[in-house]
Amino acid sequence: MRISARADYAVRAVLELAVRQGGDPVKAESIAAVQDIPHKFLEGILGDLRRGGIVDSRRGGGGGYRLARDPAAITVADVIRAVDGPIVSVRGERPTGLTYTGSAQPLLPLWIALRANVRRILEGVTIADIAADALPDPVQALAAEPAAWENP
């Protein structure tokens, strides 16, 4: 699985908005500078997040962006789906839309299991969890495994 730059930047932008929650709307330029995200690229991402119901925007001198929902109600999966679409795809298709024949038939349940595991992690972590540096125990346990840090 590959996390796109777009998805990484989106999660970082939403996280930045979460830690600034309760204040004035945050300008895209400020998010871009603090998170080292190209400003023009971030503008497109913020538009996708707005259309996805993750952020709200306000125009004008006091304008900017803020979260549309409580950070505890926004999962990492929500953010990724808003900017990239389905979490796991095979050749651009959802695994449930695939069919295999012959010796390749066992691939379908493998792809479905992969999708289920990725979804379990990304749907189980909220922006509030990350902002509080309090990842759920199962995620912390996986990340604590030495093999998780190796690149085979």
Side-chain angles (χ1 to χ4, degrees):
M1 179 177 169
R2 182 174 124 345
I3 303 295
S4 70
R6 188 172 190 77
D8 177 58
Y9 291 164
V11 172
R12 290 165 46 197
V14 170
L15 181 59
E16 189 64 29
L17 292 172
V19 299
R20 296 187 190 196
Q21 194 77 334
D24 292 332
V26 182
K27 299 217 177 290
E29 296 86 7
S30 176
I31 298 168
V34 170
Q35 290 296 325
D36 195 26
I37 300 170
H39 179 253
K40 286 293 185 190
F41 195 33
L42 179 61
E43 286 286 353
I45 290 167
L46 289 168
D48 287 344
L49 291 170
R50 187 179 46 75
R51 286 185 288 281
I54 306 291
V55 302
D56 285 327
S57 63
R58 187 178 345 150
R59 294 179 184 247
Y65 294 88
R66 58 176 40 159
L67 295 181
R69 305 191 311 250
D70 186 286
I74 303 170
T75 68
V76 175
D78 294 333
V79 176
I80 293 172
R81 284 185 186 113
V83 298
D84 274 352
I87 299 283
V88 173
S89 64
V90 178
R91 300 184 327 260
E93 294 183 48
R94 293 177 185 211
T96 53
L98 300 172
T99 55
Y100 292 102
T101 59
S103 61
Q105 281 181 325
L107 280 176
L108 185 56
L110 174 67
W111 300 150
I112 297 294
L114 172 69
R115 180 178 75 159
N117 257 345
V118 170
R119 285 171 55 178
R120 183 175 297 137
I121 297 291
L122 297 179
E123 290 173 352
V125 178
T126 68
I127 297 302
D129 295 332
I130 300 168
D133 194 12
L135 293 175
D137 290 340
V139 175
Q140 288 186 39
L142 283 170
E145 292 178 10
W149 295 88
E150 295 175 9
N151 292 322

